Amino acid sequence: MPAETSTRVVQVKVKRYQPDQSAKPFWQEYRVEAEGNDRLLDVLNKIKWEQDGTLTYRRSCAHGVCGSDAMRVNGRNRLACKLLVNDLGARISVEPMLGFPVIRDLVVDMDPFFAKYEKIKPYLINDEPEPRTERQQSPEQRERYDETTKCILCGACTGSCPSVWANAEWVGPASIVNAHRFIFDSRDRGGAERLQILSDRTGVWRCRTIFNCSEACPRGIPVTDAIEEVKRAIMYGTTDIA
Amino acid sequence: MNYHKFDVVIVGAGGAGLMSAMQLAHNSSIAVISKLYPTRSHTGAAQGGVAAALGNQEEDNWKWHMFDTVKGGDYLVDQDAAAILTREAIDAVYELEHWGLPFNRTEDGKIDQRRFGGHSRNFGEGPVRRSCYAADRTGHMILQTMYQQSVKNQVRFFNEYMMLDLLINDGQACGVVALCLRDGSIHTFHAKAIVLATGGYGRAWRITSNALACTGDGMAVAYRRGIPLEDMEMYQFHPTGLYKVGILLSEAARGEGAYLLNSEGERFCVRYAPTMEELAPRDMVSRFIYDEIAAGRGIDGKDYVYLSVAHLGKEKIDAKLPDITDFARNYLGVEPYYEPVPIQPTAHYAMGGIPTDIEGRVVVDEHNTVLPGLYAAGEVACVSVHGANRLGTNSLVDLIVFGRRAGKHIAAKWLPEADFAPLPNAPDAFATEMVESLLARGKNGANGKNSQNGKGTGETQEALRADLRDSMMENVGVVRDEQRLTAQLARVVELKQRWRNLRLMDTSRTFNTELMEVVELGNLIECAEATVAGALARKESRGAHYRTDYPKRDDVNFLKHTLAYRTEHVGEPELRYKPVVITEFEPKERKY
């Protein structure tokens, strides 16, 4: 039985940036009635639709699978559609993710993020002739890279990484997660190329195992572990490692 | 004017759009315009699987799949298209696997398959394992895989560009006009071929599984330009949406053995569908739930029932249904390991849409006259392979098969002979006027009186949105009748009028999402008009369209497709009809 929850007033403090009006970001507070089961995204929609149409953010699926609404909530990167008011308390602070250029309010420029993703050749590489049916893969081989197939490219990990904040050139955790997805896929033949790319100065070695990425991932991917596996693959020159 | 010229412009970057792009990327100049970053597309929310008669787990045959598709669609399916859908599904699934899609595997290393609603062996004898899947995130894997291939093939994307208009000149489609969200600029794309792959319009209903972006943009833009919409009254309610939230809990749960329970703890589906039980088609299961609730057997007398997965055990739940059980935990605070999950039918899928032939070409009348240069694929289109009710997993099949066919037809048949049709004069006039008048209404208020920026008088979008969604839910839901549909048509007229007077609070040109939402709301109302008019005229019950005043299917008068054309008279689209293509399965009563 779903818990009935009472309506309450929550205070939402949003770090805003309205480039048409001012070059400086500013904080704005909204008070809004919400139920405990409301998502933070519902709260933002309520503000936008009922109080202030200029409040700007991305959103689409509203249940944590499309990755549009990653933002910094009470100091941590989260998806606004996966957080419930019940879990956030009566005072909520919302900011755009760090480490990305801000376009307006909570909307950040994702183009550099996707450019880094493209750098690691995020597609199956295998020039062998295709069989008439499927390529074979055992359940164990399939399981080997299962975690990293879950990535929705929301950017929460990359935007929470101090090494990314310090060096915009670094590929960042999301790219490595997607490299891992192919490096450990038994059907892929591009592992060596990707390991080469990731072993240079903008590659995996800038990871300082801070674990912010793993904590931020809304899909529960053990991001830091995946990065460590890629590091070990580079060190030992093989993906055949535990 | 911002002018771009490409051989092919594809609008929408979900499964259908990207599948088309893959066929064209090697040897023509193409652009994909998308309202969202491609990986945000709603294909990514599909859960359960993609059907193909691979026969990896038990004997299967694409003819059986075809029969199930036709029968599931309550015989409104065009059978030539269903044959292509089910036959080509097999190659399309292997193609996805070759591109790297991480399907679950059988012990001997093949693609694993599981049961799904309405899919049977040997023409209805019992359930069959036909759905190829990747846990309960098959759509996510398809979308990611296709986007990966787009990166590999260096497809040119215009991300966060929203289509506002379609250009037709000299009887040929020649371009689209789009709004760049980032800076509010208007862009004209000139092309020899255009593929509309913009998805559905579930946001017209209050309880829906659809993303906020699913606002019928492609349908509305085409409808405004005189292209008919086909069978829009056929709108699917998925039986198992999370109570109040509408988020989908895949049929895969029932495919793995979950069942539905009423307030008496009874597995009521058995009573209605003794052979397929919980795996009867979606329209029927949604009605079973509706009837249980109407009979007072909803949980606590309310408008929901239970989906129980607990008996499957933790291990199976975690291996096969991890995401959907997380949704129950996260959004309802229910632990599916031990507790049943409250569910209710949720607006899910448009069987109707822009009419096309089996090559994906848009056809504009009852004689299937092709509009040269224009293609549509995926949920925005109506081939029609889903008829009056789509089977689970067949949406993903539709995307990959007909997205592929559209792309292949353009590459092999259309581009070699086609030229650029000239653009009409002032091609962006309609789109520019729409945007400028909306922004001006923000500044001045609906009545044109000067006032402070954003402080004009007049209604803002929220009340209108709520009225549309609530009234569609009430009047055009699982169960319909003359009275409700007549009331809703009047409501649509009123909503259109109110839309014209809406006031924006945001007048900026930088990433103005309120502007986007208001345009989307206008698109939803256009889709609603065609839906309600078609439903009112269809005086029978077939598939998802169930009328209490005409509870029987009427093949004599209504074994035909509706075509709704927009007219100058609001609320009065012109309705025409075209015959259903029947090749081998004569209509019979549906029993499961």
Side-chain angles (χ1 to χ4, degrees):
Chain A
M1 180 53 221
E4 297 293 336
T5 57
S6 58
T7 304
R8 83 247 357 223
V9 174
V10 293
Q11 201 176 62
V12 186
K13 212 173 75 170
V14 182
K15 189 175 189 184
R16 305 201 60 191
Y17 173 58
Q18 297 280 321
D20 293 3
Q21 288 166 20
S22 161
K24 277 192 186 158
F26 58 98
W27 287 89
Q28 185 165 353
E29 260 185 38
Y30 299 95
R31 295 171 68 81
V32 56
E33 281 200 353
E35 289 184 32
N37 269 353
D38 281 347
R39 295 162 274 202
L40 175 59
L41 178 61
D42 297 320
V43 174
L44 294 175
N45 283 340
K46 236 176 183 174
I47 296 169
K48 181 174 184 69
W49 295 341
E50 293 170 8
Q51 297 181 28
D52 184 355
T54 67
L55 182 64
T56 304
Y57 47 92
R58 293 192 181 98
R59 81 290 176 277
S60 189
C61 79
H63 64 288
V65 299
C66 82
S68 295
D69 60 351
M71 53 187 73
R72 198 161 191 248
V73 183
N74 292 346
R76 287 178 59 191
N77 284 355
R78 314 286 293 271
L79 299 181
C81 63
K82 284 200 82 171
L83 291 173
L84 301 187
V85 168
N86 270 339
D87 307 328
L88 284 169
R91 296 168 66 90
I92 306 168
S93 97
V94 183
E95 307 162 66
M97 286 194 291
L98 302 178
F100 291 83
V102 180
I103 295 172
R104 186 179 177 189
D105 288 353
L106 305 170
V107 173
V108 297
D109 186 356
M110 297 294 288
D111 286 348
F113 172 82
F114 279 100
K116 288 179 189 174
Y117 163 79
E118 291 183 14
K119 229 177 113 173
I120 56 89
K121 301 183 187 260
Y123 41 81
L124 191 85
I125 297 175
N126 185 330
D127 294 331
E128 295 156 20
E130 287 165 356
R132 198 184 56 79
T133 63
E134 64 268 69
R135 290 194 171 98
Q136 305 281 304
Q137 185 166 61
S138 71
E140 294 71 32
Q141 288 171 323
R142 167 66 182 76
E143 186 60 25
R144 182 68 189 86
Y145 63 100
D146 185 60
E147 291 290 355
T148 45
T149 65
K150 295 176 184 170
C151 176
I152 55 175
L153 297 167
C154 67
C157 58
T158 296
S160 70
C161 173
S163 300
V164 171
W165 303 339
N167 184 335
E169 295 286 295
W170 188 44
V171 291
S175 300
I176 303 173
V177 161
N178 283 279
H180 179 283
R181 178 253 169 274
F182 290 103
I183 291 168
F184 292 93
D185 184 335
S186 59
R187 299 168 297 173
D188 187 80
R189 302 288 175 265
E193 273 178 74
R194 294 192 194 87
L195 292 175
Q196 182 67 37
I197 294 165
L198 289 173
S199 63
D200 90 353
R201 61 180 186 79
T202 61
V204 286
W205 305 111
R206 285 194 184 268
C207 166
R208 298 289 191 269
T209 43
I210 297 162
F211 283 92
N212 279 11
C213 50
S214 298
E215 279 179 24
C217 180
R219 304 289 292 150
I221 301 170
V223 181
T224 314
D225 295 355
I227 296 173
E228 288 301 300
E229 289 186 353
V230 174
K231 286 179 182 171
R232 282 201 291 273
I234 293 173
M235 293 246 301
Y236 301 117
T238 173
T239 56
D240 195 17
I241 41 168
Chain B
M1 183 173 84
N2 301 293
Y3 174 83
H4 310 270
K5 193 172 184 181
F6 294 94
D7 286 341
V8 187
V9 167
I10 296 164
V11 189
L18 295 184
M19 198 71 177
S20 292
M22 286 309 100
Q23 317 306 318
L24 293 156
H26 306 290
N27 43 19
S28 28
S29 78
I30 69 168
V32 178
I33 297 172
S34 174
K35 190 165 74 170
L36 311 161
Y37 276 97
T39 57
R40 317 296 183 221
S41 304
H42 199 51
T43 298
Q47 296 166 358
V50 52
L54 308 184
N56 282 355
Q57 289 281 26
E58 55 187 318
E59 189 188 355
D60 202 1
N61 185 322
W62 67 263
K63 282 269 184 186
W64 300 350
H65 184 189
M66 176 188 169
F67 171 77
D68 293 335
T69 300
V70 171
K71 181 184 174 189
D74 220 350
Y75 295 91
L76 195 68
V77 172
D78 286 330
Q79 296 185 12
D80 55 341
I84 287 167
L85 178 88
T86 52
R87 201 176 58 221
E88 295 190 4
I90 297 168
D91 275 349
V93 163
Y94 288 138
E95 186 166 36
L96 289 174
E97 197 282 330
H98 295 157
W99 289 346
L101 198 143
F103 285 109
N104 279 40
R105 297 289 169 156
T106 63
E107 281 308 315
D108 55 352
K110 294 179 181 170
I111 295 170
D112 199 5
Q113 298 186 274
R114 65 177 164 204
R115 293 173 172 182
F116 235 80
H119 290 280
S120 74
R121 69 185 139 77
N122 203 19
F123 308 105
E125 278 184 6
V128 71
R129 294 174 189 274
R130 183 179 293 146
S131 167
C132 311
Y133 69 101
D136 53 356
R137 56 183 85 95
T138 313
H140 164 76
M141 299 297 200
I142 288 183
L143 185 62
Q144 293 289 326
T145 301
M146 289 196 192
Y147 184 63
Q148 291 156 6
Q149 290 296 308
S150 307
V151 170
K152 182 181 177 186
N153 289 294
Q154 301 182 313
V155 171
R156 174 88 186 270
F157 285 99
F158 288 82
N159 293 329
E160 304 191 316
Y161 279 64
M162 182 188 192
M163 175 176 61
L164 298 177
D165 196 13
L166 170 69
L167 302 174
I168 300 169
N169 201 15
D170 291 344
Q172 182 176 325
C174 58
V176 298
V177 184
L179 169 73
C180 170
L181 279 173
R182 193 165 183 158
D183 61 9
S185 55
I186 301 285
H187 294 251
T188 301
F189 294 83
H190 193 185
K192 293 180 190 171
I194 293 127
V195 183
L196 299 178
T198 51
Y201 66 106
R203 280 280 146 185
W205 285 267
R206 179 165 46 84
I207 303 290
T208 179
S209 64
N210 281 200
L212 283 129
C214 297
T215 52
D217 301 344
M219 294 164 183
V221 162
Y223 187 55
R224 281 195 203 97
R225 285 292 172 190
I227 293 163
L229 298 179
E230 180 175 346
D231 293 339
M232 291 289 277
E233 64 273 25
M234 298 305 178
Y235 197 90
Q236 178 169 82
F237 280 74
H238 191 292
T240 56
L242 268 193
Y243 181 50
K244 285 189 176 172
V245 202
I247 295 169
L248 188 67
L249 294 187
S250 169
E251 206 164 297
R254 283 170 287 140
E256 296 290 354
Y259 39 70
L260 296 173
L261 300 171
N262 62 19
S263 62
E264 294 167 8
E266 180 203 10
R267 279 185 65 183
F268 54 89
C269 289
V270 181
R271 216 182 328 118
Y272 298 92
T275 306
M276 295 294 276
E277 305 175 341
E278 275 85 355
L279 291 176
R282 290 175 177 172
D283 61 320
M284 298 177 98
V285 178
S286 285
R287 272 198 299 284
F288 304 160
I289 295 170
Y290 184 93
D291 287 349
E292 288 301 301
I293 290 167
R297 291 191 290 272
I299 309 300
D300 291 339
K302 292 189 182 158
D303 57 343
Y304 68 94
V305 296
Y306 281 142
L307 176 76
S308 174
V309 297
H311 60 281
L312 300 178
K314 270 189 191 180
E315 196 181 336
K316 188 164 182 182
I317 291 172
D318 288 347
K320 301 287 181 72
L321 308 165
D323 281 10
I324 62 171
T325 41
D326 262 355
F327 297 150
R329 281 181 203 113
N330 199 17
Y331 297 110
L332 292 186
V334 167
E335 177 45 69
Y337 289 154
Y338 315 111
E339 299 172 278
V341 183
I343 56 97
Q344 69 183 153
T346 183
H348 185 56
Y349 187 86
M351 275 72 74
I354 299 171
T356 73
D357 66 10
I358 54 173
E359 310 298 349
R361 293 181 293 188
V362 171
V363 294
V364 294
D365 60 24
E366 56 273 52
H367 310 297
N368 288 318
T369 306
V370 169
L371 175 60
L374 188 62
Y375 293 73
E379 192 174 348
V380 71
C382 180
V383 184
S384 145
V385 288
H386 308 306
N389 172 64
R390 173 173 72 71
L391 290 192
T393 75
N394 268 359
S395 60
L396 294 177
V397 186
D398 185 1
L399 301 182
I400 59 176
V401 169
F402 288 99
R404 195 164 74 144
R405 282 183 81 85
K408 281 192 192 303
H409 191 271
I410 293 169
K413 299 283 168 58
W414 176 244
L415 287 182
E417 66 174 51
D419 217 335
F420 285 92
L423 288 176
N425 291 330
D428 62 344
F430 173 84
T432 301
E433 153 67 19
M434 180 193 275
V435 168
E436 292 307 320
S437 75
L438 283 169
L439 291 177
R441 276 194 256 150
K443 286 203 172 69
N444 301 326
N447 53 14
K449 285 181 186 146
N450 286 330
S451 60
Q452 291 293 312
N453 184 1
K455 299 263 169 33
T457 57
E459 183 182 23
T460 57
Q461 59 165 331
E462 176 50 9
L464 188 56
R465 183 201 328 277
D467 284 353
L468 170 70
R469 300 182 70 203
D470 288 345
S471 62
M472 287 296 281
M473 203 72 203
E474 178 63 27
N475 295 328
V476 201
V478 175
V479 168
R480 306 156 178 194
D481 61 36
E482 176 105 16
Q483 197 186 348
R484 290 195 249 197
L485 291 169
T486 308
Q488 188 61 17
L489 201 55
R491 181 52 78 93
V492 166
V493 174
E494 172 214 314
L495 294 172
K496 274 200 177 186
Q497 184 59 41
R498 281 166 61 192
W499 186 85
R500 279 199 286 270
N501 292 319
L502 274 189
R503 175 175 65 83
L504 269 64
M505 293 181 260
D506 188 357
T507 58
S508 169
R509 288 183 197 272
T510 306
F511 221 96
N512 188 333
T513 52
E514 192 192 21
L515 173 65
M516 176 184 81
E517 287 177 342
V518 168
V519 174
E520 290 173 335
L521 188 51
N523 290 343
L524 286 170
I525 299 171
E526 297 288 356
C527 292
E529 178 185 270
T531 305
V532 178
L536 190 56
R538 188 177 279 279
K539 295 183 162 117
E540 65 158 353
S541 289
R542 181 187 299 272
H545 175 67
Y546 185 80
R547 289 186 54 159
T548 51
D549 45 354
Y550 299 96
K552 292 258 185 273
R553 197 175 79 193
D554 176 359
D555 286 340
V556 175
N557 294 303
F558 289 103
L559 184 58
K560 59 187 182 183
H561 298 292
T562 309
L563 295 176
Y565 294 78
R566 193 173 185 273
T567 68
E568 287 308 300
H569 304 285
V570 176
E572 296 175 36
E574 180 194 349
L575 298 181
R576 296 193 216 159
Y577 292 90
K578 75 174 179 185
V580 176
V581 179
I582 294 170
T583 57
E584 46 196 298
F585 301 115
E586 283 301 318
K588 284 192 192 141
E589 192 189 346
R590 280 196 312 167
K591 283 190 184 154
Y592 286 92

